[in-house]
Amino acid sequence: MAAQPKPLTPDRSARHLFGAKMREHREQVGMSLDALSLIVNISKAHLSRIEHAESPIPPGLPPLLDREFNTETFTNLFVVAAKEVHPDKYQRRMSLEAQATVIKEYTPQIVPGMLQTEDYARAQFRTHNPKASAQEIEDLVTGRMSRVATLLGDPQPDYSAVLDEGVLRRGYGGPVVMRDQLTKLADICLTPSTCLQVLPFSYGGHALAGGSLSLWTLRNGALVAYEEAITTGTLLEEAGNVAAKFRAYDLLSASALSPGQSADFIRSVLEDLPNEHHP
């Protein structure tokens, strides 16, 4: 006699509900996990963990499920479930970022999360927590890629960033990983929805040195700032404080290289990378 599937708990969270709906829809048409695995190109074991809310939902899965089962359920649920990947203290940050129509960021050391490649994100998480299990790292990467997907949303937010030269010089994952990451950055320095600028070391000190900054213009017109250090983040919503951060960013952007110059600068850093991977 076939073993009964483990009961699900759809009332616990959006991620649990997503898993329950996935099982419900495939059972309605008599589809096994093996069969679904072939359709969505995700292993049976991984799909099982998603059904039981034991793994985050890969960003590419919801549209595949909606197409297969002729629904919009999974895409809609994913919008909520993706936010649950992040620790509680970042929930409000993620909620505000998702509402932004204009995003501006400054980072001194690490490629902004929304611009990271999957391999760069994986290497960064592994460096930050070398004792984390492989599954814990993959869960974090999935969460990070859900933020990357925000830039491809509909409508797309207008995104700009000032990257300190240290972002380009400080490698994660070795030359192969950095080559892919820097190539991505160079390619999006100026597009209809993105604008990246590099701030060279030669500029010297500035008002935003010491931490990263995110600035959001929300759909309702509200302006919000978020400052982040290694393990802490501060949300700024008081008008005077937010205005000061926007002003500091504008001054930095005015002093940084143009998008075209920045793309050339990034490609020069690319050329300096060794050809072989060194652990």
Side-chain angles (χ1 to χ4, degrees):
M1 184 163 118
Q4 291 298 311
K6 180 180 175 182
L8 304 180
T9 53
D11 58 324
R12 288 187 59 186
S13 70
R15 195 165 74 180
H16 285 77
L17 180 58
F18 186 101
K21 287 293 184 182
M22 190 168 82
R23 176 184 287 182
E24 176 186 315
H25 277 77
R26 68 177 181 79
E27 288 184 344
Q28 284 178 350
V29 296
M31 182 183 293
S32 67
L33 279 175
D34 286 306
L36 183 58
S37 174
L38 294 175
I39 294 170
V40 299
N41 196 30
I42 295 175
S43 72
K44 174 184 176 181
H46 193 175
L47 288 175
S48 178
R49 290 196 299 272
I50 292 170
E51 277 198 357
H52 292 89
E54 295 170 353
S55 283
I57 304 158
L61 178 60
L64 294 176
L65 293 175
D66 279 334
R67 184 176 64 187
E68 179 63 25
F69 298 121
N70 193 27
T71 179
E72 296 180 356
T73 298
F74 297 100
T75 297
N76 292 335
L77 273 176
F78 178 70
V79 172
V80 181
K83 299 187 180 104
E84 297 176 343
V85 174
H86 305 278
D88 290 342
K89 64 180 179 179
Y90 294 122
Q91 289 289 331
R92 180 153 169 73
R93 182 205 193 284
M94 302 310 301
S95 176
L96 290 169
E97 184 177 78
Q99 298 175 49
T101 58
V102 179
I103 299 172
K104 300 181 179 183
E105 296 193 293
Y106 164 73
T107 55
Q109 300 286 351
I110 297 172
V111 173
M114 301 182 83
L115 305 181
Q116 291 180 5
T117 65
E118 187 171 322
D119 287 338
Y120 181 97
R122 185 175 291 108
Q124 186 211 327
F125 287 130
R126 174 60 67 196
T127 300
H128 179 71
N129 187 2
K131 293 184 178 181
S133 69
Q135 187 58 55
E136 287 172 332
I137 295 296
E138 290 310 305
D139 288 352
L140 289 169
V141 171
T142 298
R144 178 57 49 81
M145 291 303 103
S146 72
R147 289 185 62 206
V148 172
T150 301
L151 286 183
L152 304 176
D154 185 18
Q156 287 181 289
D158 290 325
Y159 181 92
S160 62
V162 176
L163 311 180
D164 195 276
E165 184 177 342
V167 172
L168 312 177
R169 302 288 185 187
R170 192 172 304 282
Y172 284 88
V176 173
V177 172
M178 287 303 298
R179 184 169 289 107
D180 288 343
Q181 178 63 79
L182 293 177
T183 298
K184 176 178 180 177
L185 295 178
D187 288 345
I188 60 173
C189 276
L190 188 60
T191 75
S193 60
T194 61
C195 175
L196 306 186
Q197 296 175 267
V198 172
L199 186 72
F201 289 145
S202 58
Y203 177 76
H206 55 85
L208 297 180
S212 62
L213 175 69
S214 297
L215 303 170
W216 305 310
T217 302
L218 307 186
R219 285 191 291 268
N220 63 5
L223 303 178
V224 182
Y226 184 83
E227 290 184 307
E228 190 168 8
I230 296 176
T231 58
T232 60
T234 303
L235 194 63
L236 304 175
E237 298 181 82
E238 192 277 323
N241 291 334
V242 174
K245 297 304 177 184
F246 269 82
R247 176 63 174 166
Y249 178 90
D250 288 343
L251 290 173
L252 211 57
S253 175
S255 303
L257 300 178
S258 71
Q261 292 170 329
S262 296
D264 291 340
F265 191 98
I266 294 170
R267 292 189 179 100
S268 73
V269 176
L270 261 168
E271 293 174 0
D272 291 340
L273 289 173
N275 292 323
E276 296 179 358
H277 175 81
H278 296 289

